[in-house]
Amino acid sequence: TQLLEQSPQFLSIQEGENLTVYCNSSSVFSSLQWYRQEPGEGPVLLVTVVTGGEVKKLKRLTFQFGDARKDSSLHITAAQPGDTGLYLCAYRNTGGFKTIFGAGTRLFVKA
Amino acid sequence: GAGVSQTPSNKVTEKGKYVELRCDPISGHTALYWYRQSLGQGPEFLIYFQGTGAADDSGLPNDRFFAVRPEGSVSTLKIQRTERGDSAMYLCASSLRGGVPGTEAFFGQGTRLTVV
């Protein structure tokens, strides 16, 4: 199993600030996924990045896949309290049926 | 229902007892997955069903854990002789089919199991 390292583990910021969280590995991936998990809920898929260097935007969220397809980042512009949650990066195993998650970055946005 | 439904949402049990956790997948989804999430961690894979059969149970931690899906729809995760270390959030997910690139898995809200 390839290891996904997410940083920081925890982030507490004020509403309106920008932030970036990271997902790193020494392995190459065909794709990486980002999920958000709110307290008491299951993870919800935000995006899948597939091509090295790819940038995807989802409203105030910008996802980037590293050129070498070993890492990814998530940038949030003007964070809002509703962005609070656990952000998980993940990949699918070779057979495509198992999702392997990182430990996540827990984000808290204060009003 | 529209989404994956898990019951109960919370379960407190005494050490040594037997528990069953239920998952109702999205209608028509043939693939079903169980994950376990400990505090401060991401979900960890337990078992994957394609239809009625367990296609991969490599994530089950030991023989106290067992899961069934007799009719290819509802699944039950069974834990015998529970231990305090089994305390975690147990998540179920389903997808239209397993092993198909781009097929999204949808997660339920989870069952929070606490063993006291």
Side-chain angles (χ1 to χ4, degrees):
Chain A
T1 301
Q2 301 144 302
L3 185 64
L4 292 170
E5 296 183 355
Q6 292 194 245
S7 61
Q9 287 183 303
F10 182 79
L11 191 55
S12 179
I13 61 170
Q14 289 293 139
E15 181 177 5
E17 292 183 3
N18 302 332
L19 66 116
T20 303
V21 299
Y22 301 92
C23 175
N24 295 298
S25 178
S26 57
S27 300
V28 176
F29 300 99
S30 57
S31 66
L32 280 177
Q33 298 178 318
W34 284 94
Y35 289 78
R36 180 169 67 207
Q37 184 178 19
E38 298 184 19
E41 303 286 332
V44 175
L45 180 65
L46 296 174
V47 78
T48 301
V49 286
V50 178
T51 307
E54 179 179 10
V55 176
K56 281 191 174 178
K57 294 196 173 187
L58 191 65
K59 296 183 181 177
R60 294 176 294 100
L61 278 60
T62 301
F63 305 85
Q64 184 158 9
F65 201 11
D67 291 341
R69 306 204 320 274
K70 292 183 177 182
D71 53 78
S72 183
S73 64
L74 159 57
H75 181 81
I76 301 179
T77 303
Q80 299 176 0
D83 296 328
T84 292
L86 179 67
Y87 288 83
L88 296 156
C89 71
Y91 69 92
R92 288 278 188 92
N93 71 327
T94 303
F97 59 83
K98 182 192 303 188
T99 303
I100 292 93
F101 291 88
T105 292
R106 190 163 299 279
L107 172 65
F108 182 66
V109 182
K110 294 175 279 190
Chain B
V4 177
S5 175
Q6 292 188 246
T7 54
S9 53
N10 281 284
K11 176 71 176 177
V12 180
T13 191
E14 292 181 345
K15 180 174 175 294
K17 297 289 188 184
Y18 168 83
V19 294
E20 289 189 351
L21 312 180
R22 176 187 168 107
C23 174
D24 270 283
I26 293 172
S27 178
H29 280 195
T30 63
L32 184 145
Y33 318 81
W34 283 98
Y35 289 81
R36 179 169 71 174
Q37 186 173 24
S38 301
L39 209 58
Q41 299 296 318
E44 293 178 304
F45 171 82
L46 294 177
I47 187 169
Y48 155 60
F49 287 90
Q50 182 58 50
T52 60
D56 185 334
D57 64 358
S58 61
L60 294 178
N62 52 60
D63 61 6
R64 295 187 297 105
F65 288 74
F66 190 70
V68 296
R69 195 186 184 199
E71 297 177 359
S73 178
V74 171
S75 177
T76 305
L77 179 65
K78 308 181 180 196
I79 310 174
Q80 297 177 320
R81 305 183 304 281
T82 51
E83 300 177 356
R84 292 199 179 87
D86 298 336
S87 297
M89 175 74 85
Y90 288 82
L91 293 162
C92 177
S94 71
S95 65
L96 205 53
R97 285 174 61 191
V100 177
T103 304
E104 182 179 351
F106 296 86
F107 284 81
Q109 293 182 314
T111 294
R112 169 73 63 191
L113 176 66
T114 304
V115 182
V116 297

mmCIF file of all heavy atoms in Angstrom, chain B residues 32-56:
data_model
loop_
_atom_site.group_PDB
_atom_site.id
_atom_site.type_symbol
_atom_site.label_atom_id
_atom_site.label_comp_id
_atom_site.label_asym_id
_atom_site.label_seq_id
_atom_site.Cartn_x
_atom_site.Cartn_y
_atom_site.Cartn_z
ATOM 1 N N LEU B 32 -20.366 -2.765 -2.757
ATOM 2 C CA LEU B 32 -20.549 -2.244 -1.397
ATOM 3 C C LEU B 32 -19.243 -2.423 -0.644
ATOM 4 O O LEU B 32 -18.565 -3.448 -0.778
ATOM 5 C CB LEU B 32 -21.682 -2.996 -0.691
ATOM 6 C CG LEU B 32 -22.069 -2.504 0.709
ATOM 7 C CD1 LEU B 32 -23.581 -2.658 0.929
ATOM 8 C CD2 LEU B 32 -21.305 -3.209 1.795
ATOM 9 N N TYR B 33 -18.896 -1.416 0.158
ATOM 10 C CA TYR B 33 -17.617 -1.378 0.864
ATOM 11 C C TYR B 33 -17.851 -1.032 2.338
ATOM 12 O O TYR B 33 -18.724 -0.226 2.655
ATOM 13 C CB TYR B 33 -16.703 -0.294 0.286
ATOM 14 C CG TYR B 33 -16.696 -0.189 -1.222
ATOM 15 C CD1 TYR B 33 -17.708 0.496 -1.885
ATOM 16 C CD2 TYR B 33 -15.678 -0.758 -1.973
ATOM 17 C CE1 TYR B 33 -17.711 0.604 -3.269
ATOM 18 C CE2 TYR B 33 -15.673 -0.647 -3.357
ATOM 19 C CZ TYR B 33 -16.700 0.032 -3.993
ATOM 20 O OH TYR B 33 -16.698 0.128 -5.370
ATOM 21 N N TRP B 34 -17.045 -1.624 3.191
ATOM 22 C CA TRP B 34 -17.010 -1.231 4.601
ATOM 23 C C TRP B 34 -15.624 -0.659 4.910
ATOM 24 O O TRP B 34 -14.594 -1.212 4.486
ATOM 25 C CB TRP B 34 -17.261 -2.432 5.512
ATOM 26 C CG TRP B 34 -18.681 -2.868 5.613
ATOM 27 C CD1 TRP B 34 -19.289 -3.885 4.930
ATOM 28 C CD2 TRP B 34 -19.692 -2.318 6.478
ATOM 29 N NE1 TRP B 34 -20.611 -3.998 5.303
ATOM 30 C CE2 TRP B 34 -20.883 -3.052 6.250
ATOM 31 C CE3 TRP B 34 -19.713 -1.279 7.413
ATOM 32 C CZ2 TRP B 34 -22.069 -2.779 6.937
ATOM 33 C CZ3 TRP B 34 -20.882 -1.011 8.083
ATOM 34 C CH2 TRP B 34 -22.054 -1.764 7.848
ATOM 35 N N TYR B 35 -15.639 0.432 5.664
ATOM 36 C CA TYR B 35 -14.412 1.072 6.132
ATOM 37 C C TYR B 35 -14.537 1.310 7.634
ATOM 38 O O TYR B 35 -15.634 1.408 8.183
ATOM 39 C CB TYR B 35 -14.193 2.425 5.447
ATOM 40 C CG TYR B 35 -13.817 2.350 3.990
ATOM 41 C CD1 TYR B 35 -14.799 2.158 3.019
ATOM 42 C CD2 TYR B 35 -12.493 2.471 3.577
ATOM 43 C CE1 TYR B 35 -14.453 2.089 1.672
ATOM 44 C CE2 TYR B 35 -12.147 2.403 2.241
ATOM 45 C CZ TYR B 35 -13.128 2.204 1.308
ATOM 46 O OH TYR B 35 -12.783 2.142 -0.029
ATOM 47 N N ARG B 36 -13.380 1.446 8.266
ATOM 48 C CA ARG B 36 -13.343 1.803 9.688
ATOM 49 C C ARG B 36 -12.477 3.047 9.836
ATOM 50 O O ARG B 36 -11.390 3.134 9.254
ATOM 51 C CB ARG B 36 -12.761 0.657 10.516
ATOM 52 C CG ARG B 36 -12.662 0.968 11.995
ATOM 53 C CD ARG B 36 -12.337 -0.255 12.809
ATOM 54 N NE ARG B 36 -10.982 -0.730 12.633
ATOM 55 C CZ ARG B 36 -10.466 -1.727 13.350
ATOM 56 N NH1 ARG B 36 -11.197 -2.337 14.271
ATOM 57 N NH2 ARG B 36 -9.228 -2.131 13.139
ATOM 58 N N GLN B 37 -12.980 4.005 10.619
ATOM 59 C CA GLN B 37 -12.250 5.254 10.813
ATOM 60 C C GLN B 37 -12.050 5.499 12.297
ATOM 61 O O GLN B 37 -13.023 5.720 13.024
ATOM 62 C CB GLN B 37 -13.002 6.426 10.174
ATOM 63 C CG GLN B 37 -12.241 7.737 10.207
ATOM 64 C CD GLN B 37 -12.954 8.816 9.427
ATOM 65 O OE1 GLN B 37 -14.163 8.772 9.235
ATOM 66 N NE2 GLN B 37 -12.217 9.826 8.963
ATOM 67 N N SER B 38 -10.796 5.463 12.720
ATOM 68 C CA SER B 38 -10.474 5.772 14.102
ATOM 69 C C SER B 38 -10.270 7.276 14.244
ATOM 70 O O SER B 38 -10.026 7.983 13.254
ATOM 71 C CB SER B 38 -9.201 5.029 14.531
ATOM 72 O OG SER B 38 -9.382 3.632 14.393
ATOM 73 N N LEU B 39 -10.331 7.744 15.471
ATOM 74 C CA LEU B 39 -10.225 9.177 15.734
ATOM 75 C C LEU B 39 -8.909 9.728 15.190
ATOM 76 O O LEU B 39 -7.843 9.179 15.438
ATOM 77 C CB LEU B 39 -10.315 9.407 17.248
ATOM 78 C CG LEU B 39 -10.905 10.740 17.696
ATOM 79 C CD1 LEU B 39 -12.317 10.903 17.146
ATOM 80 C CD2 LEU B 39 -10.916 10.808 19.210
ATOM 81 N N GLY B 40 -9.002 10.792 14.417
ATOM 82 C CA GLY B 40 -7.805 11.442 13.905
ATOM 83 C C GLY B 40 -7.195 10.765 12.694
ATOM 84 O O GLY B 40 -6.095 11.126 12.266
ATOM 85 N N GLN B 41 -7.899 9.781 12.149
ATOM 86 C CA GLN B 41 -7.371 9.051 10.996
ATOM 87 C C GLN B 41 -8.340 9.108 9.815
ATOM 88 O O GLN B 41 -9.512 9.457 9.977
ATOM 89 C CB GLN B 41 -7.133 7.579 11.370
ATOM 90 C CG GLN B 41 -6.131 7.374 12.475
ATOM 91 C CD GLN B 41 -4.750 7.835 12.087
ATOM 92 O OE1 GLN B 41 -4.293 7.602 10.966
ATOM 93 N NE2 GLN B 41 -4.067 8.505 12.991
ATOM 94 N N GLY B 42 -7.838 8.734 8.640
ATOM 95 C CA GLY B 42 -8.719 8.563 7.507
ATOM 96 C C GLY B 42 -9.360 7.190 7.553
ATOM 97 O O GLY B 42 -8.928 6.317 8.311
ATOM 98 N N PRO B 43 -10.390 6.977 6.769
ATOM 99 C CA PRO B 43 -11.039 5.656 6.736
ATOM 100 C C PRO B 43 -10.066 4.582 6.246
ATOM 101 O O PRO B 43 -9.258 4.830 5.347
ATOM 102 C CB PRO B 43 -12.194 5.854 5.740
ATOM 103 C CG PRO B 43 -12.436 7.333 5.720
ATOM 104 C CD PRO B 43 -11.090 7.958 5.929
ATOM 105 N N GLU B 44 -10.169 3.384 6.834
ATOM 106 C CA GLU B 44 -9.360 2.237 6.423
ATOM 107 C C GLU B 44 -10.275 1.152 5.874
ATOM 108 O O GLU B 44 -11.275 0.795 6.501
ATOM 109 C CB GLU B 44 -8.567 1.700 7.605
ATOM 110 C CG GLU B 44 -7.504 2.637 8.123
ATOM 111 C CD GLU B 44 -6.781 2.059 9.323
ATOM 112 O OE1 GLU B 44 -7.465 1.713 10.301
ATOM 113 O OE2 GLU B 44 -5.552 1.948 9.275
ATOM 114 N N PHE B 45 -9.896 0.623 4.736
ATOM 115 C CA PHE B 45 -10.687 -0.401 4.048
ATOM 116 C C PHE B 45 -10.803 -1.668 4.880
ATOM 117 O O PHE B 45 -9.823 -2.138 5.466
ATOM 118 C CB PHE B 45 -10.009 -0.722 2.711
ATOM 119 C CG PHE B 45 -10.580 -1.900 1.980
ATOM 120 C CD1 PHE B 45 -11.722 -1.756 1.211
ATOM 121 C CD2 PHE B 45 -9.975 -3.138 2.059
ATOM 122 C CE1 PHE B 45 -12.244 -2.837 0.522
ATOM 123 C CE2 PHE B 45 -10.491 -4.226 1.377
ATOM 124 C CZ PHE B 45 -11.625 -4.080 0.614
ATOM 125 N N LEU B 46 -12.008 -2.215 4.917
ATOM 126 C CA LEU B 46 -12.232 -3.494 5.595
ATOM 127 C C LEU B 46 -12.561 -4.596 4.590
ATOM 128 O O LEU B 46 -11.906 -5.628 4.531
ATOM 129 C CB LEU B 46 -13.374 -3.383 6.606
ATOM 130 C CG LEU B 46 -13.145 -2.468 7.812
ATOM 131 C CD1 LEU B 46 -14.404 -2.427 8.677
ATOM 132 C CD2 LEU B 46 -11.952 -2.931 8.635
ATOM 133 N N ILE B 47 -13.626 -4.379 3.788
ATOM 134 C CA ILE B 47 -14.124 -5.442 2.917
ATOM 135 C C ILE B 47 -14.904 -4.842 1.763
ATOM 136 O O ILE B 47 -15.492 -3.756 1.901
ATOM 137 C CB ILE B 47 -15.001 -6.435 3.728
ATOM 138 C CG1 ILE B 47 -15.396 -7.657 2.887
ATOM 139 C CG2 ILE B 47 -16.227 -5.737 4.301
ATOM 140 C CD1 ILE B 47 -16.033 -8.781 3.717
ATOM 141 N N TYR B 48 -14.897 -5.553 0.634
ATOM 142 C CA TYR B 48 -15.599 -5.119 -0.580
ATOM 143 C C TYR B 48 -16.443 -6.267 -1.103
ATOM 144 O O TYR B 48 -15.971 -7.393 -1.224
ATOM 145 C CB TYR B 48 -14.563 -4.684 -1.608
ATOM 146 C CG TYR B 48 -14.960 -4.762 -3.072
ATOM 147 C CD1 TYR B 48 -16.044 -4.033 -3.552
ATOM 148 C CD2 TYR B 48 -14.231 -5.542 -3.965
ATOM 149 C CE1 TYR B 48 -16.382 -4.097 -4.899
ATOM 150 C CE2 TYR B 48 -14.568 -5.602 -5.307
ATOM 151 C CZ TYR B 48 -15.644 -4.884 -5.777
ATOM 152 O OH TYR B 48 -15.975 -4.936 -7.108
ATOM 153 N N PHE B 49 -17.706 -5.957 -1.367
ATOM 154 C CA PHE B 49 -18.630 -6.911 -1.979
ATOM 155 C C PHE B 49 -18.946 -6.485 -3.404
ATOM 156 O O PHE B 49 -19.231 -5.317 -3.663
ATOM 157 C CB PHE B 49 -19.958 -6.949 -1.205
ATOM 158 C CG PHE B 49 -19.898 -7.622 0.115
ATOM 159 C CD1 PHE B 49 -19.603 -6.906 1.267
ATOM 160 C CD2 PHE B 49 -20.152 -8.982 0.231
ATOM 161 C CE1 PHE B 49 -19.556 -7.525 2.501
ATOM 162 C CE2 PHE B 49 -20.106 -9.614 1.461
ATOM 163 C CZ PHE B 49 -19.802 -8.877 2.598
ATOM 164 N N GLN B 50 -18.915 -7.419 -4.324
ATOM 165 C CA GLN B 50 -19.475 -7.220 -5.649
ATOM 166 C C GLN B 50 -20.642 -8.205 -5.723
ATOM 167 O O GLN B 50 -20.440 -9.414 -5.817
ATOM 168 C CB GLN B 50 -18.441 -7.474 -6.742
ATOM 169 C CG GLN B 50 -18.965 -7.224 -8.145
ATOM 170 C CD GLN B 50 -19.486 -5.812 -8.345
ATOM 171 O OE1 GLN B 50 -18.835 -4.830 -8.022
ATOM 172 N NE2 GLN B 50 -20.692 -5.713 -8.886
ATOM 173 N N GLY B 51 -21.856 -7.671 -5.674
ATOM 174 C CA GLY B 51 -23.013 -8.544 -5.575
ATOM 175 C C GLY B 51 -23.076 -9.170 -4.197
ATOM 176 O O GLY B 51 -22.914 -8.495 -3.180
ATOM 177 N N THR B 52 -23.268 -10.474 -4.153
ATOM 178 C CA THR B 52 -23.407 -11.163 -2.866
ATOM 179 C C THR B 52 -22.080 -11.618 -2.292
ATOM 180 O O THR B 52 -21.989 -11.926 -1.101
ATOM 181 C CB THR B 52 -24.304 -12.403 -3.014
ATOM 182 O OG1 THR B 52 -23.706 -13.279 -3.973
ATOM 183 C CG2 THR B 52 -25.707 -12.018 -3.503
ATOM 184 N N GLY B 53 -21.060 -11.674 -3.113
ATOM 185 C CA GLY B 53 -19.793 -12.244 -2.684
ATOM 186 C C GLY B 53 -18.789 -11.210 -2.219
ATOM 187 O O GLY B 53 -18.704 -10.113 -2.762
ATOM 188 N N ALA B 54 -18.006 -11.589 -1.210
ATOM 189 C CA ALA B 54 -16.923 -10.726 -0.729
ATOM 190 C C ALA B 54 -15.737 -10.878 -1.674
ATOM 191 O O ALA B 54 -15.039 -11.895 -1.643
ATOM 192 C CB ALA B 54 -16.536 -11.106 0.693
ATOM 193 N N ALA B 55 -15.527 -9.881 -2.520
ATOM 194 C CA ALA B 55 -14.447 -9.950 -3.498
ATOM 195 C C ALA B 55 -13.086 -9.706 -2.870
ATOM 196 O O ALA B 55 -12.065 -10.166 -3.388
ATOM 197 C CB ALA B 55 -14.690 -8.947 -4.616
ATOM 198 N N ASP B 56 -13.061 -8.971 -1.771
ATOM 199 C CA ASP B 56 -11.797 -8.690 -1.082
ATOM 200 C C ASP B 56 -12.105 -8.414 0.380
ATOM 201 O O ASP B 56 -12.797 -7.449 0.680
ATOM 202 C CB ASP B 56 -11.096 -7.487 -1.707
ATOM 203 C CG ASP B 56 -9.713 -7.223 -1.116
ATOM 204 O OD1 ASP B 56 -9.454 -7.599 0.046
ATOM 205 O OD2 ASP B 56 -8.881 -6.620 -1.824
#
